[in-house]
Amino acid sequence: MSDYVAAIDQGTTSTRCMVFDHGGRVVSVDQREHEQIFPRAGWVEHDALEIWENTRAVAAAALGRADLTRNDLAAVGITNQRETALVWDRTTGQPVSHAIVWQDTRTGPICDRLAALGGGADRYRATVGLPLATYFSGPKVRWILDNVDGARERAESGDLVFGTMDTWTLWNMTGGVDGGLHVTDPTNASRTLLMDLDTLQWDEDIAAEMGIPLSMLPEIRSSSEVYGAGRARGPFAGVPIAGILGDQQAATFGQACLAVGEAKNTYGTGNFMLLNTGTTKVQSEHGLLTTVCYKIGEQPTVYALEGSIAVSGSLVQWLRDNLGLISSAAEIEQLAATVEDNGGAYFVPAFSGLYAPYWRADARGAVVGLTRYVNKGHIARAVLEATAYQTREVLEAMNADSGVDLTSLKVDGGMTTNETLMQFQADILGVPVIRPVVSETTALGAAYAAGLAVGFWDSEEEIRTNWAQDRQWDPRMDPQLRDRHYRKWRKAVTRTFDWIDEDD
């Protein structure tokens, strides 16, 4: 048996390759950012060819950094930004357009037209577990077919295929036009608005109503099995590619949230909290999503409740790139530390509308409570606090849906290195916040899924044993002050509603 497992983590802002040993420890990593393309307000795109080029580069570099070859790898897993949609030609391998990113809001009119057929935003929820919203990938495919010249005709003739970024990555890694596999897993398929959560198959009626030919859709296979081997000329030539998990489900797996009632929160471009509900599919009554958590081989499907927040880490990027208040993301903690509180300012980052628990596509971002007293330090603190407040909203919805109050929160992702944010998160939740030794659990979860498929790890219990705590933050804030801050936040959120008009 080889000594290591690798994972490709194709994220919203970058692609990286990480190599792990049997103890789940990071052996090597390489990462490359890709361009964020904003053609107009509300539109967000990625160049899929750039992402594939970066994927090849980071895979080779990660092996090189650790002086490894493909022979040292037992398997490779893939994890990805989930709802980003791409359509490409199966014979040439060329995308018909840029990928439409999960944050993109251009499909609002499509969602509205479908909702008007009956049932409103919940038209498909009983089947797919999701509301009709711009977040999900099915309407993005419809938009491409309706707006790219010749796309619908080529799709209906069988020339075009659709995939989320896991499918694009796997297709290229297994040969592309030369025999590449057109496959996805249930965690990604469950984010399209097209998959039946019970059967784990595409729903023909929904696909037809959405105007998407079934011939475009990838085969749905489990999250942990050998799909195929790396292409002959690639850095992973002959290595089994054996795991696929959408990024948030991968983080849940990497955090060893493998029992009913265990939850994690990932702080990345957005924020995503998942609660393992076991083999029970729980329909939310408080604005959460019902989704597939993972499916390991032939074992029963495990489901989750999810609270999705569109903007958290990307708000720090916006402060850096659009306003120039900081020159690097790490500087925000220093700037926030120049003041004791937010000075009365609250920043609601509804750049793409509001996701859980509101699902308000008509909302847009706002800073409220401004006075002459507020300075850039207060704004920096308000930016950090926005992530913590949004997390509390999701946690309260999760407690209400599950009927069980979480007594602690496992956290992971890049923003967990910000100790100011983590302490405020514990303060505003009123429960301990716990960070693991390996905080980048997204790639680790994909590695676990791949390793389980080939016997590198024997069981989920072995994965649980690997988990180790690094740091814990306990709440220190006076409960009355906590309630006051949260009350003001909720008031700020209402100020963002109904901003978008029909002519927008």
Side-chain angles (χ1 to χ4, degrees), residues 411-427:
V411 299
D412 55 72
M415 292 183 79
T416 61
T417 60
N418 189 311
E419 299 199 4
T420 300
L421 170 59
M422 291 296 98
Q423 182 58 57
F424 187 78
Q425 184 69 89
D427 288 341

Side-chain angles (χ1 to χ4, degrees), residues 230-406:
R231 65 193 182 92
R233 298 180 64 85
F236 297 144
V239 179
I241 302 174
I244 298 174
L245 285 165
D247 52 8
Q248 303 313 318
Q249 287 92 336
T252 306
F253 209 70
Q255 280 274 38
C257 294
L258 306 175
V260 175
E262 294 183 326
K264 68 85 201 178
N265 196 35
T266 297
Y267 298 73
T269 301
N271 251 45
F272 303 88
M273 188 183 300
L274 268 74
L275 172 72
N276 185 324
T277 63
T279 56
T280 302
K281 184 183 69 172
V282 178
Q283 290 287 0
S284 174
E285 297 179 359
H286 298 88
L288 303 180
L289 308 176
T290 304
T291 193
V292 174
C293 195
Y294 53 86
K295 179 173 173 56
I296 303 303
E298 297 298 321
Q299 296 179 28
T301 305
V302 174
Y303 296 94
L305 282 171
E306 176 176 335
S308 305
I309 298 166
V311 177
S312 53
S314 55
L315 180 56
V316 177
Q317 283 186 320
W318 179 85
L319 202 69
R320 179 194 67 189
D321 299 339
N322 291 46
L323 297 191
L325 289 185
I326 53 177
S327 57
S328 70
E331 287 181 15
I332 192 168
E333 187 168 16
Q334 303 167 21
L335 185 55
T338 62
V339 295
E340 294 184 357
D341 54 34
N342 63 15
Y346 292 81
F347 199 139
V348 186
F351 294 160
S352 301
L354 289 168
Y355 286 10
Y358 299 101
W359 298 105
R360 294 290 296 256
D362 61 348
R364 285 297 179 269
V367 186
V368 301
L370 293 180
T371 64
R372 287 288 299 273
Y373 171 71
V374 172
N375 61 35
K376 60 183 180 181
H378 296 116
I379 295 297
R381 185 168 284 271
V383 163
L384 294 180
E385 291 180 357
T387 290
Y389 288 126
Q390 291 179 101
T391 297
R392 175 167 169 177
E393 290 181 312
V394 167
L395 183 65
E396 289 188 346
M398 204 159 275
N399 288 342
D401 272 333
S402 67
V404 178
D405 288 349
L406 292 177

Side-chain angles (χ1 to χ4, degrees), residues 88-90 93 167-177 180-182:
W88 70 94
D89 190 301
R90 69 170 78 240
T167 303
W168 169 248
T169 301
L170 178 67
W171 187 79
N172 281 292
M173 288 177 67
T174 54
V177 296
L181 297 172
H182 188 220

Side-chain angles (χ1 to χ4, degrees), residues 73-118:
L73 299 178
V76 178
I78 297 171
T79 183
N80 59 292
Q81 49 170 326
R82 295 171 297 178
E83 298 82 7
T84 296
L86 182 69
V87 174
W88 70 94
D89 190 301
R90 69 170 78 240
T91 58
T92 68
Q94 293 296 307
V96 302
S97 68
H98 284 149
I100 301 180
V101 179
W102 57 272
Q103 301 155 310
D104 191 286
T105 60
R106 76 184 72 180
T107 58
I110 293 174
C111 294
D112 291 343
R113 288 196 296 271
L114 291 169
L117 297 175

Side-chain angles (χ1 to χ4, degrees), residues 2-20:
S2 301
D3 294 328
Y4 307 101
V5 172
I8 296 296
D9 181 356
Q10 201 300 289
T12 305
T13 59
S14 68
T15 303
R16 62 183 156 184
C17 179
M18 301 186 76
V19 180
F20 299 91

